[in-house]
Amino acid sequence: MPRPLVATIDISALHHNLRIAKSHAPAAKIWAVVKANAYGHGLERGVRGFAEADGLALIEPDNALRLRELGWQKPILLLEGIFDASDLETVVRARLDFAVHCNEQIAWLEQAALKGPLDVHLKMNSGMNRLGFKPEAYRAAYQRLQAVPAVRKITLMTHFANADDPLNPGLPLQQQVQQFEQGVAGLNEERSIANSAADLMHPELKSDWVRPGIMLYGATPGGASAEQFGLKPAMTLSSKVIGVQRIGAGDAIGYGSRFVASAPMLIGAVACGYADGYPRHAPNGTPVLVDGVRTVTVGRVSMDMFSVDLTSVPGAGVGSAVTLWGDGLPIDEVAHAAGTIGYELMCALAARVKVVEL
């Protein structure tokens, strides 16, 4: 018999969330981001869930080929571009768009004997300071790409660090926008600038393409809750109570004995641990649902299980249903309690967890 731990993926929620993204940018085309195995939801489900998208975007060239094998015929964008000159053969064969963010990538294009056509996305470093050409170097990079015979189309691209926190003193959103506008002044090409947060919260930032990621899976990029944005959770991680202990005041629970009961308690062991993707660093008090009743974790998360307080859950016992995140318990709330973000929880889902679809 399999363990009772199951991740349920709601394909209709993926469809719904894509439509929400589109409603915020009705004039734009949509790159649905499916990197990291579609944020843990599975590439195959991403292809079906985002069938209405104009293109799919990811970083892994091998998974881009997998998308073609799965039947995706519309554009595919490699967000980090190519990693070696030899990748250009794959790009041409699979008809992949790709980001260009450094001089080395341009040199590979200049030196390759390619017929193309190649559609590239020239990335500007407008303040994130990870990848891309700084505004003062952007035009020269653009001109070099224009001179490559195989390059058919150049899209102007950047990525926002704080679209969810526009007044961030380290890098206000408007400062990045101004940097981008200065760097692309006079270049009459399509633009791709908006991530999930920009799409949801900054309709004034018009662009030809938007690149929603986390919002498509029903979590928030910040600024408000997923529910307030009208998003639906696409992944629900559920399990069952597999053991029960009655403990007294002064008894400790789990490795390190970091939780000590102050009164008699009913404790349930849940079939899920850090080897399944649940965060080991989740503290006492991380929310969980047992038989639909909200309660909390107690003690340290171990490899295969963790403990929950059943004292206030009527009738709870072995076999009680447990929701770790998803339907009824937002993943962002669990992530916040654990000092992380919903992105990490989704992407950390382990291969040994059974996945089913609604």
Side-chain angles (χ1 to χ4, degrees):
M1 295 293 290
R3 291 172 77 214
L5 181 64
V6 177
T8 302
I9 309 299
D10 184 350
I11 300 295
S12 68
L14 299 177
H15 289 301
H16 170 84
N17 296 333
L18 178 65
R19 293 186 184 116
I20 293 290
K22 183 66 174 176
S23 72
H24 284 266
K29 291 171 283 188
I30 301 284
W31 289 113
V33 179
V34 294
K35 62 184 179 177
N37 194 32
Y39 288 54
H41 294 65
L43 283 179
E44 298 88 346
R45 297 177 192 93
V47 166
R48 288 182 282 120
F50 306 136
E52 297 175 8
D54 300 285
L56 299 178
L58 71 175
I59 66 167
E60 308 92 348
D62 55 338
N63 282 340
L65 295 180
R66 177 64 180 148
L67 291 175
R68 290 295 186 220
E69 292 170 357
L70 290 168
W72 184 265
Q73 295 301 314
K74 289 188 278 188
I76 297 173
L77 170 61
L78 294 174
L79 291 165
E80 292 181 358
I82 57 175
F83 302 103
D84 187 85
S86 61
D87 291 336
L88 287 168
E89 181 181 343
T90 299
V91 163
V92 173
R93 184 174 75 254
R95 298 174 288 110
L96 306 179
D97 290 24
F98 60 99
V100 173
H101 60 75
C102 63
N103 285 312
E104 289 80 0
Q105 290 173 326
I106 297 179
W108 294 338
L109 282 165
E110 291 170 334
Q111 295 160 13
L114 297 174
K115 294 182 180 179
L118 298 175
D119 293 340
V120 301
H121 297 241
L122 183 59
K123 188 163 190 176
M124 182 189 296
N125 173 11
S126 58
M128 177 81 89
N129 289 321
R130 298 189 310 183
L131 301 176
F133 295 90
K134 290 193 173 181
E136 60 270 22
Y138 196 76
R139 187 174 300 275
Y142 175 85
Q143 291 170 343
R144 286 180 67 187
L145 286 174
Q146 269 197 320
V148 176
V151 172
R152 174 177 62 182
K153 178 182 176 183
I154 303 172
T155 298
L156 313 178
M157 178 183 182
T158 195
H159 191 58
F160 295 129
N162 299 310
D164 61 321
D165 181 21
L167 300 180
N168 187 295
L171 182 62
L173 175 62
Q174 192 56 40
Q175 181 178 324
Q176 276 202 269
V177 173
Q178 290 172 352
Q179 290 271 62
F180 180 73
E181 292 295 344
Q182 291 168 5
V184 303
L187 303 182
N188 187 26
E189 305 284 3
E190 289 188 348
R191 300 180 177 196
S192 174
I193 63 174
N195 54 8
S196 289
D199 178 58
L200 288 169
M201 291 179 267
H202 300 285
E204 74 280 6
L205 299 179
K206 305 296 184 185
S207 64
D208 301 283
W209 288 87
V210 295
R211 307 187 306 271
I214 191 64
M215 67 172 292
L216 298 180
Y217 304 95
T220 179
S225 71
E227 184 178 12
Q228 287 171 319
F229 285 128
L231 303 171
K232 296 181 178 180
M235 177 192 291
T236 295
L237 186 63
S238 59
S239 189
K240 291 183 179 180
V241 173
I242 60 171
V244 174
Q245 299 288 331
R246 292 188 179 276
I247 65 173
D251 288 344
I253 298 171
Y255 289 118
S257 301
R258 74 175 188 181
F259 179 88
V260 178
S262 60
M265 298 179 69
L266 184 66
I267 302 298
V270 177
C272 181
Y274 61 76
D276 302 298
Y278 199 85
R280 182 178 183 273
H281 54 275
N284 296 321
T286 299
V288 64
L289 299 181
V290 176
D291 288 340
V293 177
R294 180 176 287 251
T295 185
V296 296
T297 64
V298 287
R300 180 168 289 157
V301 175
S302 56
M303 181 181 289
D304 307 307
M305 68 187 82
F306 63 83
S307 297
V308 294
D309 182 3
L310 301 179
T311 309
S312 60
V313 184
V318 171
S320 287
V322 180
T323 299
L324 302 152
W325 64 67
D327 188 17
L329 181 61
I331 192 171
D332 299 303
E333 186 175 344
V334 178
H336 178 74
T340 184
I341 53 178
Y343 304 66
E344 183 179 15
L345 299 187
M346 291 178 186
C347 294
L349 188 72
R352 74 175 185 172
V353 178
K354 181 181 179 181
V355 179
V356 300
E357 295 179 19
L358 283 180

